[in-house]
C-alpha cells in the first residue's frame, strides 16, 4: 500500500532533472526545456535582490507596481499604431486608405503571443531583470528597423522591423514584467496583475496624442527614432526596481485544503473537541477549531499541496477551455482597436453617406478607448479577487454578447455616441480579460507555471490579431470589391455576427472550466458523463446502469420442449433486464462536503505513507 501511495504523483513534485540521456534528440531537448519552470537563485543573488536601483535602495513590495505600470505603458504604445496607418500608407503608396500599414499591427501582436509561448519557460527560470532587459533592447531594435524601413520606403522591412522584431521584444517584456509583479501579491493576484497590465492598456491613451504631435513636427522615420528612444530610457530606468520576491513568499503549488477548512472559529458557547488523538490536535483545539474533518486528524496542521507540471497543465482540458474563452474575449476589441479611426471616418466622418466632421476626432477616440482599456484591467482584476475568476470571466463574456447584439442596430441608426458607448463597454471587458488571466492561470496551475502558461495562452492573442484582423478586413474588402460603398453597414453587420458566435462559444467553454482544485479533483462516480458547477452547487449528469429481474413469457410447446434439453433451461423462466437511464443530480452543500472529505481522507493517508520511511 505504501508503495502504491509513493507511485501517486498527486502530492509529489514532478521533476525530470538528472534523467537526461547521453545522446539527446530534439524532442528530448524540447521536453527538458518545458519541464524546468522554476527560478532557483543562488544565495548571492537572493542577497543582491534585497536592494534595487543598482543596489542603492532597499527592495520594497510596493515598488514593483509603479515600475511595472510604466514598463507596460511603454510596451502599450503599440496600441496607438492606428494613428500611423494613414500617414504610412500615404508615404508608401500616396493613398491613405490603401497600402497595408495596418498589417504591421497584426504581425506584432501575432509574434507577441508565439514569443511568449516559446520563451515562457526561460522567462520563468530567469531573473525578471535579465528577461526584461532582453525584451526592451529587442523592442528598441524594432523601432530602429521601422525607422530605416520608412526611410527607404520598404513595407516588407517595416513588417520585419516593427512587426517581427518589436513583436519579439513585446512578448518577452510583457510576460516577464506582469508575472514578476503578480508574484509579489499572492493574496491579490488579480489586482496586482491588473495594475501592471493597466499600463499596457493605457499606452494608447498617451501615445496617441504623442504620435500626433510628432507627426506634425518631424518626419515618420524620426518619429520612430524618438519613440524608441523614449521607451528605452523609461523602461531601463524602471526595470531596476523589478526583482523577484524572496524564497517562500509564494506557495509553490496549489493548496488542497482551504484555510477556512483548517482554521474555523468556534461558535459562541461551543466547546472545543478534546479527544483528538491525532498529531496537532491540541494546536487545533487551542486555535478554536470547532469542526475537525477526518483528513485533519491525519494531517494535523499540515496543508497538502498539489504540484502540477507544465506538461500536465498544457494537457489539461481546463487550460484549453480557458484558452478558447480568452480568444473569444479579445477578438472584437482587438479588431476594432486597430481600425477605429477608419471605422469612425467611414460611418460617421468625411467618408460617410453624409460627409461631415465626426463628433469626436479619431485620435481622441483612440485615447479615450485606451483609458477604458486601462480601467478595465484594474477593475476587473480587483473584481476577480472578490467574486472569483470564473464568475468574473463569465460576466465580461456575457456583457460582450450584449454589445455585439446591439451593435448592428446602433450603426444602422447612425448613432455615433451609442456606437462609442458600446465600443468603450466592450473595451472594459477586453482589458479585464488581460488583467485577470495571469491570476486565473496561477490559481489553476500554480505560480511555477504562470509565465509558461501565460505565454502559451497569449498565442490566442496572436490568432485573434492575425486571423480576426484578416477575417474582418477580408469581409470589408469583399463587399467593396463587389460594388458596396465603404459607408454601408451590411459588411460590418456580417463581421459582428461571426464575432457574436465566437463569443457565445467562448461563454459556453468558460462554463465548463473547472477553476478550483476541488472542481478538478472532485471524485466522479463510474457512470458520470458530465459535471459542472451551477450557482455554487455541483450539477452532474449520470448514465446509470442497473439490472432488474423479470418473468419470461411462457414459450410455445416446441420451443419449451427444446428448452428442456438445454443446460440453462431456467433462463426461460426468469432473466435479468439491463436498463440504462439518464439522470441529473444537483448536490447540496452538505453532500458535496461529505464526498470531498472522503476523497481528502484517502489522499491524506497516501500523503502520510509517502512521508514515512519503509520498514
Amino acid at each position: 500500500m505504501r508503495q502504491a501511495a509513493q507511485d501517486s504523483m498527486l502530492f509529489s513534485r514532478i521533476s525530470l532533472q538528472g534523467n537526461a540521456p547521453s545522446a539527446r534528440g530534439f524532442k528530448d531537448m524540447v521536453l527538458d526545456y518545458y519541464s524546468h519552470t522554476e527560478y532557483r537563485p543562488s544565495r548571492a543573488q537572493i542577497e543582491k535582490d534585497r536592494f534595487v536601483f543598482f543596489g542603492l535602495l532597499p527592495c520594497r513590495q510596493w515598488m514593483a507596481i509603479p515600475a511595472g505600470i510604466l514598463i507596460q505603458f511603454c510596451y502599450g504604445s503599440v496600441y496607438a499604431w492606428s494613428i500611423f496607418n494613414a500617414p504610412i500608407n500615404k508615404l508608401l503608396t500616396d493613398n491613405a486608405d490603401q497600402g497595408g500599414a495596418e498589417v504591421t499591427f497584426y504581425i506584432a501582436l501575432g509574434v507577441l503571443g508565439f514569443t511568449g509561448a516559446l520563451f515562457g519557460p526561460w522567462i520563468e527560470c530567469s531573473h525578471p531583470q535579465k528577461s526584461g532587459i532582453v525584451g526592451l533592447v529587442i523592442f528598441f531594435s524594432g523601432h530602429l528597423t521601422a525607422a530605416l524601413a520608412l526611410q527607404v520606403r520598404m513595407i516588407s522591412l517595416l513588417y520585419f522591423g516593427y512587426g517581427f522584431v518589436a513583436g519579439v521584444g513585446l512578448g518577452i517584456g510583457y510576460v516577464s514584467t506582469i508575472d514578476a509583479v503578480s508574484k509579489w501579491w499572492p493574496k491579490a493576484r488579480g489586482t496586482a496583475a491588473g495594475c501592471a497590465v493597466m499600463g499596457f492598456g493605457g499606452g494608447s491613451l498617451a501615445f496617441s496624442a504623442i504620435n500626433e504631435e510628432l507627426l506634425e513636427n518631424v518626419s515618420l522615420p524620426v518619429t520612430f527614432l524618438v519613440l524608441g528612444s523614449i521607451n528605452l530610457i523609461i523602461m531601463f530606468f524602471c526595470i531596476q526596481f523589478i526583482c523577484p520576491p524572496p524564497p517562500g513568499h509564494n506557495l509553490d503549488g496549489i493548496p488542497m485544503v482551504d484555510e477556512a477548512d483548517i482554521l474555523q472559529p468556534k461558535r459562541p458557547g461551543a466547546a472545543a473537541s478534546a479527544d483528538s488523538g491525532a498529531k496537532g490536535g491540541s494546536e487545533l483545539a487551542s486555535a478554536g477549531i470547532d469542526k475537525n474533518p477526518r483528513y485533519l486528524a491525519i494531517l494535523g496542521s499540515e496543508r497538502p499541496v498539489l504540484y502540477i507540471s507544465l506538461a500536465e497543465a498544457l494537457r489539461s482540458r481546463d487550460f484549453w477551455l480557458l484558452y478558447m474563452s480568452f480568444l473569444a474575449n479579445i477578438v472584437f476589441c482587438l479588431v476594432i482597436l486597430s481600425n477605429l479611426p477608419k471605422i469612425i471616418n467611414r460611418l460617421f466622418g468625411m467618408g460617410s453617406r453624409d460627409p461631415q466632421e465626426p463628433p469626436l476626432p479619431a485620435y481622441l477616440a483612440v485615447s479615450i478607448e485606451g483609458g477604458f482599456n486601462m480601467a478595465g484591467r484594474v477593475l476587473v482584476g480587483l473584481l476577480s479577487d472578490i467574486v472569483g475568476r470564473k464568475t468574473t470571466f463569465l460576466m465580461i463574456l456575457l456583457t460582450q454578447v450584449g454589445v455585439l447584439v446591439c451593435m448592428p442596430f446602433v450603426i444602422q441608426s447612425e448613432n455615433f455616441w451609442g456606437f462609442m458607448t458600446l465600443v468603450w463597454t466592450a473595451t472594459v471587458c477586453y482589458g479585464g480579460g488581460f488583467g485577470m488571466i495571469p491570476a486565473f492561470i496561477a490559481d489553476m496551475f500554480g505560480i511555477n507555471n504562470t509565465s509558461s502558461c501565460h505565454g502559451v495562452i497569449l498565442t490566442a492573442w496572436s490568432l485573434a490579431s492575425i486571423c480576426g484582423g484578416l477575417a474582418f478586413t477580408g469581409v470589408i474588402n469583399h463587399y467593396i470589391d463587389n460594388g458596396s460603398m465603404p459607408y454601408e453597414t451590411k459588411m460590418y453587420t456580417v463581421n459582428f455576427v461571426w464575432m457574436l458566435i465566437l463569443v457565445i462559444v467562448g461563454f459556453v467553454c468558460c462554463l465548463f472550466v473547472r477553476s478550483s482544485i476541488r472542481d478538478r479533483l472532485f471524485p466522479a462516480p463510474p457512470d458520470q458523463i458530465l459535471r459542472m458547477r451551477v450557482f455554487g452547487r455541483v450539477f452532474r449528469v449520470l448514465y446509470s446502469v442497473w439490472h432488474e429481474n423479470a418473468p419470461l413469457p411462457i414459450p410455445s410447446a416446441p420451443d419449451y420442449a427444446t428448452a428442456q434439453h438445454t443446460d440453462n433451461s431456467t433462463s426461460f423462466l426468469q432473466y435479468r433486464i439491463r436498463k440504462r437511464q439518464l439522470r441529473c443530480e444537483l448536490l447540496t452543500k452538505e453532500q458535496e462536503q461529505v464526498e470531498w472529505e472522503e476523497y481528502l481522507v484517502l489522499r491524506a493517508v497516501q500523503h502520510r505513507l509517502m512521508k514515512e520511511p519503509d520498514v
Side-chain angles (χ1 to χ4, degrees):
M1 181 176 180
R2 181 174 299 149
Q3 184 61 40
Q6 290 173 342
D7 292 337
S8 173
M9 301 303 293
L10 192 58
F11 288 100
S12 61
R13 182 184 305 277
I14 298 176
S15 175
L16 300 181
Q17 290 184 343
N19 296 330
S22 56
R24 298 174 50 173
F26 177 75
K27 181 179 179 181
D28 295 323
M29 294 175 62
V30 171
L31 291 175
D32 185 64
Y33 173 69
Y34 278 94
S35 299
H36 295 75
T37 57
E38 293 183 7
Y39 172 61
R40 297 181 177 178
S42 62
R43 291 181 178 271
Q45 185 63 55
I46 294 173
E47 186 65 25
K48 183 179 179 181
D49 286 337
R50 293 177 58 196
F51 298 89
V52 295
F53 197 64
F54 306 104
L56 300 177
L57 298 173
C59 181
R60 295 290 182 266
Q61 186 178 18
W62 60 267
M63 292 180 176
I65 295 289
I69 291 174
L70 287 175
I71 292 172
Q72 292 296 314
F73 190 80
C74 294
Y75 283 127
S77 61
V78 68
Y79 270 150
W81 177 262
S82 58
I83 302 298
F84 292 125
N85 285 337
I88 291 176
N89 286 336
K90 188 173 182 180
L91 175 69
L92 299 179
T93 64
D94 293 329
N95 189 334
D97 291 330
Q98 296 181 359
E102 63 275 3
V103 176
T104 311
F105 176 79
Y106 300 140
I107 295 175
L109 294 189
V111 173
L112 185 159
F114 288 107
T115 300
L118 179 62
F119 289 95
W122 173 76
I123 293 171
E124 193 72 62
C125 298
S126 303
H127 194 283
Q129 281 191 11
K130 176 182 177 180
S131 55
I133 289 175
V134 170
L136 68 91
V137 169
I138 297 176
F139 189 58
F140 176 67
S141 302
H143 281 77
L144 295 182
T145 310
L148 177 62
L150 294 172
Q151 183 66 34
V152 299
R153 301 191 178 187
M154 287 182 59
I155 189 70
S156 58
L157 187 58
L158 178 66
Y159 291 161
F160 173 77
Y162 199 92
F164 179 77
V165 177
V168 171
L170 273 171
I172 296 175
Y174 181 88
V175 174
S176 64
T177 305
I178 293 172
D179 294 342
V181 172
S182 63
K183 288 176 181 177
W184 274 104
W185 306 85
K187 299 288 187 181
R189 289 195 184 109
T191 305
C195 287
V197 184
M198 175 185 68
F200 196 91
S204 62
L205 184 65
F207 280 96
S208 297
I210 293 173
N211 293 349
E212 285 283 353
E213 188 67 23
L214 288 173
L215 289 173
E216 291 178 1
N217 293 280
V218 296
S219 64
L220 268 172
V222 175
T223 296
F224 279 88
L225 286 175
V226 173
L227 285 177
S229 301
I230 292 174
N231 291 332
L232 180 68
I233 294 171
I234 295 176
M235 289 193 290
F236 185 78
F237 174 82
C238 293
I239 201 70
Q240 306 306 320
F241 294 91
I242 299 293
C243 64
H249 188 81
N250 290 282
L251 181 64
D252 191 13
I254 305 173
M256 294 280 294
V257 182
D258 295 334
E259 291 181 0
D261 292 336
I262 294 181
L263 298 176
Q264 295 188 10
K266 281 197 218 177
R267 292 189 297 270
S273 177
D275 59 350
S276 176
K279 181 180 178 181
S282 59
E283 290 84 358
L284 294 174
S286 62
I289 296 297
D290 182 21
K291 179 182 177 182
N292 191 4
R294 285 186 295 160
Y295 60 85
L296 290 185
I298 301 171
L299 293 174
S301 59
E302 187 177 357
R303 245 181 126 186
V305 175
L306 173 67
Y307 298 100
I308 299 178
S309 68
L310 178 60
E312 286 179 316
L314 296 181
R315 287 197 302 263
S316 169
R317 72 168 191 185
D318 300 289
F319 178 83
W320 295 107
L321 288 172
L322 183 61
Y323 184 98
M324 281 300 303
S325 302
F326 181 66
L327 174 65
N329 169 243
I330 63 178
V331 165
F332 171 65
C333 278
L334 195 58
V335 171
I336 294 296
L337 193 65
S338 59
N339 293 279
L340 187 58
K342 184 185 294 185
I343 294 174
I344 290 176
N345 181 62
R346 288 178 174 179
L347 296 180
F348 308 101
M350 298 304 295
S352 63
R353 192 186 307 272
D354 300 318
Q356 59 183 333
E357 289 294 332
L360 192 68
Y363 79 92
L364 191 56
V366 172
S367 296
I368 296 175
E369 185 179 22
F372 280 97
N373 191 350
M374 182 171 58
R377 296 174 186 236
V378 178
L379 296 178
V380 174
L382 175 61
L383 182 64
S384 72
D385 285 334
I386 299 173
V387 304
R389 318 287 183 211
K390 181 177 177 178
T391 302
T392 306
F393 218 105
L394 289 171
M395 290 169 59
I396 62 178
L397 287 171
L398 193 60
T399 302
Q400 286 184 308
V401 169
V403 167
L404 286 166
V405 168
C406 297
M407 188 65 78
F409 302 101
V410 171
I411 62 174
Q412 287 176 10
S413 63
E414 299 182 359
N415 187 339
F416 174 80
W417 291 111
F419 170 77
M420 293 308 304
T421 299
L422 292 176
V423 168
W424 291 334
T425 301
T427 302
V428 171
C429 301
Y430 168 80
F434 281 101
M436 66 175 291
I437 202 68
F440 210 157
I441 293 171
D443 290 349
M444 289 179 63
F445 304 110
I447 197 69
N448 59 306
N449 292 316
T450 304
S451 295
S452 303
C453 290
H454 193 193
V456 173
I457 211 167
L458 287 180
T459 58
W461 200 358
S462 304
L463 293 176
S465 60
I466 296 175
C467 300
L470 293 178
F472 181 87
T473 304
V475 170
I476 300 295
N477 292 337
H478 171 76
Y479 275 90
I480 292 177
D481 293 342
N482 284 275
S484 298
M485 301 302 295
Y487 53 76
E488 293 183 11
T489 61
K490 184 177 181 179
M491 61 189 79
Y492 297 100
T493 300
V494 172
N495 275 315
F496 294 145
V497 168
W498 70 257
M499 291 179 190
L500 175 62
I501 295 172
L502 181 61
V503 174
I504 293 175
V505 171
F507 180 84
V508 173
C509 289
C510 191
L511 283 174
F512 290 95
V513 172
R514 299 170 298 178
S515 56
S516 69
I517 196 67
R518 174 180 289 202
D519 288 341
R520 284 150 64 194
L521 299 181
F522 195 81
D527 50 358
Q528 176 181 293
I529 60 174
L530 174 67
R531 185 182 72 235
M532 61 185 299
R533 190 170 292 275
V534 179
F535 299 112
R537 295 173 61 182
V538 173
F539 172 79
R540 59 191 181 191
V541 180
L542 307 174
Y543 195 41
S544 303
V545 180
W546 75 94
H547 297 82
E548 179 180 327
N549 293 332
L552 184 72
I554 297 176
S556 60
D559 292 337
Y560 184 77
T562 305
Q564 301 301 319
H565 299 283
T566 63
D567 295 332
N568 192 19
S569 59
T570 56
S571 62
F572 281 87
L573 304 179
Q574 185 175 352
Y575 71 100
R576 298 172 66 83
I577 301 176
R578 196 164 182 254
K579 292 186 176 181
R580 293 178 180 268
Q581 182 180 6
L582 196 68
R583 60 192 179 94
C584 302
E585 290 183 352
L586 185 63
L587 300 185
T588 64
K589 289 292 185 181
E590 292 76 14
Q591 291 172 326
E592 176 187 347
Q593 187 66 21
V594 168
E595 292 193 26
W596 178 242
E597 288 188 5
E598 289 177 351
Y599 172 81
L600 288 180
V601 167
L602 173 63
R603 294 310 181 187
V605 171
Q606 290 182 337
H607 181 56
R608 275 300 180 196
L609 289 174
M610 288 166 57
K611 296 182 67 176
E612 294 178 2
D614 290 327
V615 179

